[in-house]
Amino acid sequence: MAPSPLSIESSILIIGAGTWGCSTALDIARRGYKHVTVLDPHPVPSPIAAGNDINKIMEHNELKDGEPDSRSIAFATFTRAALNAWKTDPVFQPFFHETGAIVSGHTPALLKHIQEDEIDPSETAFVQLETAEDFRGTMPAGVLTGDFPGWKGWWRKDGAGWIHAKKAMVSAFSEARRLGVTFVTGSPEGNVDSLAYEGGDVIGARTADGKLHRADYTILSAGAGSDMLLDFKKQLRPTAWTLCHIQMTPEEAARYRNLPVLFNIAKGFFMEPDADNHELKICDEHPGYCNFLPDPDRPGETRSIPFAKHQIPLEAEARARDFLRDTMPHLAERPLSFARICWDADTPDRAFLIDKHPEYPSLVVAVGGSGNGAMQMPTIGGFIADALEGSLQKDLKDVVRWRPETAVGRDWRATQNRFGGPGQIMDFQNLEEGQWTRIKV
């Protein structure tokens, strides 16, 4: 059954009110569509949304000379557009802090990877850091007090920094709602149980209260939870990372203001304390955690099923403290004030998945942030709207298309070119209850 022609009068249903869902709702509303509804089991900002975070890294590196692959070209296009919008779009501009960023490693292999895959060290934008004193000199005295054993890095002073992801997401939500988008949130009324099908196509979604939300077009943008609503032919792997906060005093927070992001690709990263609660965020770096359970749809196979938890494994806390001992040992033993696991969905090649479904012409999938989704917030909704309208530029469409052939024989435990931790995907199923933090909230 062919869908009805798309027009500004078409009813559009967006499943998921996280980073990409709010961005899409905003862009579609700005294009003049009059009947847009967003469903989510939690009010914005959802406590389980990856974008409900005090800060995320934002960076854009231009392509190196030579013959870059199509995925790299597409990713550069996405991040270039996002960076421009972080600087110019009044909905998002207040939440971008162009403080610069440092990318680093502490072994020859890691440094080789950075130079080959992460940056172009010949660019004048990068200042090379060779010694502990070089690292300490990037921030005010008393911030970086560590010895940085074996560390070397590259400091980019512009075109990078951090975003207040939570506030940006709420801003996008508020503006979309002002423009007429309807948000149905909370459980059961916003909790999607299943997509709804009729005549060989998707005609909307059913929520836990039994209601059918019928729509001319449906956009599935539920992050790591998308995999539970549609058979993605193994194109999505829900993968989790770990973050924690340390409480700072107002005086300390003032000294840590406007700092560059410090990222070691195998140890972790930190960003300055937030202005509201004065909490310093630290993330340990690793290839990710999965939650492998028997696959209810494929007998004999397993799948990673996400869950919410505002604690992290003790091993993750230990890795975060190891990062602090290298960089800020004066903070290494402070108690944690907050922690949680943060889910995203990895595609096999870590390119986004934004396309009309080949079997259901009224369904658009917008998933697969692969650890890079939050920084795209100001503009990803525009690319998703382009996919809905059939106008996504060809060089992007070829990269982010529906591509199940890339998942044939997929190794669910592939590290996907990520480093740190034990150097492998970890499984939450291997952790016992006593192996988690017990932070009082």
Side-chain angles (χ1 to χ4, degrees), residues 15-21 40-41 46 48-51 192 220-232 234-241 289-291 303-308 340-347 353 366-371 373-374 410 412 428:
I15 301 174
T19 300
W20 285 21
D40 197 280
S46 165
I48 64 172
V192 174
L220 178 55
S221 184
S226 302
D227 190 48
M228 304 300 293
L229 297 173
L230 179 72
D231 182 2
F232 277 90
K234 300 187 178 183
Q235 291 177 89
L236 292 188
R237 182 189 70 185
T239 311
W241 285 271
Y289 283 92
C290 289
N291 184 45
R303 71 191 299 177
S304 179
I305 298 179
F307 64 97
R340 77 173 179 118
I341 57 175
C342 184
W343 289 92
D344 203 345
D346 277 328
T347 60
L353 176 51
V367 294
S370 301
R410 183 172 187 180
W412 290 118
F428 285 129

Side-chain angles (χ1 to χ4, degrees), residues 90-353:
V91 171
F92 298 101
Q93 187 274 333
F95 312 110
F96 175 47
H97 302 262
E98 195 173 6
T99 57
I102 299 165
V103 60
S104 58
H106 59 286
T107 70
L110 293 172
L111 296 171
K112 182 174 184 290
H113 167 78
I114 292 171
Q115 291 177 284
E116 291 180 350
D117 295 343
E118 299 284 337
I119 65 168
D120 185 350
S122 65
E123 278 191 36
T124 56
F126 290 100
V127 176
Q128 192 160 358
L129 307 174
E130 295 278 359
T131 67
E133 190 59 37
D134 289 343
F135 279 94
R136 291 193 287 265
T138 64
M139 301 186 192
V143 172
L144 299 179
T145 57
D147 292 332
F148 291 85
W151 286 47
K152 296 184 186 299
W154 290 265
W155 177 19
R156 183 181 188 129
K157 297 184 180 181
D158 54 25
W162 62 276
I163 58 173
H164 198 301
K166 175 181 177 179
K167 290 183 177 180
M169 184 166 59
V170 171
S171 180
F173 156 74
S174 300
E175 179 64 6
R177 191 169 56 174
R178 187 188 72 81
L179 293 173
V181 175
T182 299
F183 285 81
V184 180
T185 61
S187 188
E189 61 272 21
N191 188 8
V192 174
D193 273 346
S194 65
L195 298 178
Y197 301 87
E198 188 176 281
D201 199 0
V202 169
I203 53 123
R206 295 186 185 277
T207 45
D209 58 357
K211 183 176 180 179
L212 169 61
H213 297 262
R214 185 178 287 269
D216 295 321
Y217 289 86
T218 301
I219 300 172
L220 178 55
S221 184
S226 302
D227 190 48
M228 304 300 293
L229 297 173
L230 179 72
D231 182 2
F232 277 90
K233 310 296 183 184
K234 300 187 178 183
Q235 291 177 89
L236 292 188
R237 182 189 70 185
T239 311
W241 285 271
T242 41
L243 65 89
C244 55
H245 295 176
I246 289 175
Q247 185 66 57
M248 310 288 279
T249 67
E251 294 75 21
E252 287 174 321
R255 191 165 72 250
Y256 280 61
R257 187 71 62 228
N258 297 321
L259 303 182
V261 175
L262 175 58
F263 177 35
N264 180 305
I265 66 169
K267 288 215 167 189
F269 58 91
F270 91 97
M271 284 170 275
E272 66 180 75
D274 71 303
D276 300 316
N277 298 318
H278 311 307
E279 291 186 311
L280 183 77
K281 173 183 164 183
I282 309 102
C283 292
D284 60 313
E285 188 65 18
H286 50 74
Y289 283 92
C290 289
N291 184 45
F292 290 119
L293 292 168
D295 190 334
D297 301 320
R298 301 186 184 95
E301 297 189 29
T302 61
R303 71 191 299 177
S304 179
I305 298 179
F307 64 97
K309 195 172 183 72
H310 281 74
Q311 304 288 341
I312 59 174
L314 292 176
E315 62 191 20
E317 178 186 2
R319 288 189 293 263
R321 294 192 185 282
D322 179 61
F323 169 80
L324 288 172
R325 278 189 285 273
D326 278 6
T327 60
M328 296 177 285
H330 58 287
L331 300 178
E333 303 306 321
R334 282 207 191 176
L336 302 183
S337 57
F338 176 83
R340 77 173 179 118
I341 57 175
C342 184
W343 289 92
D344 203 345
D346 277 328
T347 60
D349 55 9
R350 291 183 64 188
F352 303 149
L353 176 51

